[in-house]
Amino acid sequence: MRIGELAERAGTTTRTLRYYESRGLLPARRDGNGHRTYDERDLRLLRQIRTLQDFGFGLEETRPFVECLRAGHPAGDSCPASLAVYRRKLDELDALIGELGEARRTVARQLTRAERARDRLAADALVPGGPEPECELGGQR
């Protein structure tokens, strides 16, 4: 099949396919007229790449999966190098989850502090001669 058909079947663009070819992820075969030609194996490689990218894998992280398929394995993740990428990605995700958890805790503490400060100001404002409410962000009244 030609590049346009492969792009359509894979749900991508010809530009993307040429980029994958330049990165060595997609084979560069040409027919007698110089046109790029592809087969079902190439479609399978592309689907593997696209699936992994949809899950947040970088293009280079897909390489071991592609090489595993090219080596004739039934699945791109049946090789040790692919499993190592899975492990690294899980470690990366766990670290990000930890960072997000800490960010959430920080925001929750800030919200609690701000609500308490607001409640104190509101209570003080009800007392005759109490302070005028003040915006903490701009310091303006």
Side-chain angles (χ1 to χ4, degrees):
M1 78 185 87
R2 289 256 188 87
I3 192 168
E5 181 184 352
L6 180 63
E8 184 177 325
R9 289 182 64 191
T12 191
T13 65
T14 57
R15 182 178 182 181
T16 298
L17 298 184
R18 287 190 298 271
Y19 179 69
Y20 291 170
E21 181 183 309
S22 74
R23 304 293 301 165
L25 292 168
L26 194 60
R29 293 185 303 272
R30 304 223 179 225
D31 65 14
N33 294 327
H35 298 286
R36 291 175 172 88
T37 61
Y38 303 96
D39 58 28
E40 293 299 318
R41 290 172 298 186
D42 300 319
L43 180 60
R44 192 165 171 223
L45 293 177
L46 281 173
R47 287 184 174 150
Q48 178 76 77
I49 292 168
R50 306 272 301 162
T51 298
L52 290 168
Q53 287 190 307
D54 287 347
F55 293 145
F57 286 71
L59 189 58
E60 280 306 309
E61 290 175 312
T62 69
R63 188 173 299 281
F65 297 86
V66 169
E67 290 172 355
C68 190
L69 285 172
R70 278 190 183 159
H73 294 274
D77 60 4
S78 58
C79 295
S82 303
L83 298 176
V85 172
Y86 275 153
R87 285 185 196 96
R88 281 194 307 271
K89 183 55 79 175
L90 282 174
D91 289 343
E92 178 184 316
L93 290 170
D94 288 341
L96 289 172
I97 289 167
E99 290 173 21
L100 285 172
E102 184 55 38
R104 186 191 187 292
R105 287 185 289 279
T106 298
V107 170
R109 285 191 301 269
Q110 287 296 102
L111 174 61
T112 299
R113 183 205 51 77
E115 287 175 336
R116 286 182 184 150
R118 181 209 54 207
D119 293 346
R120 281 191 305 275
L121 283 174
D124 289 345
L126 295 176
V127 174
E132 188 72 24
E134 188 176 304
C135 178
E136 291 180 9
L137 295 178
Q140 300 173 351
R141 292 181 189 244

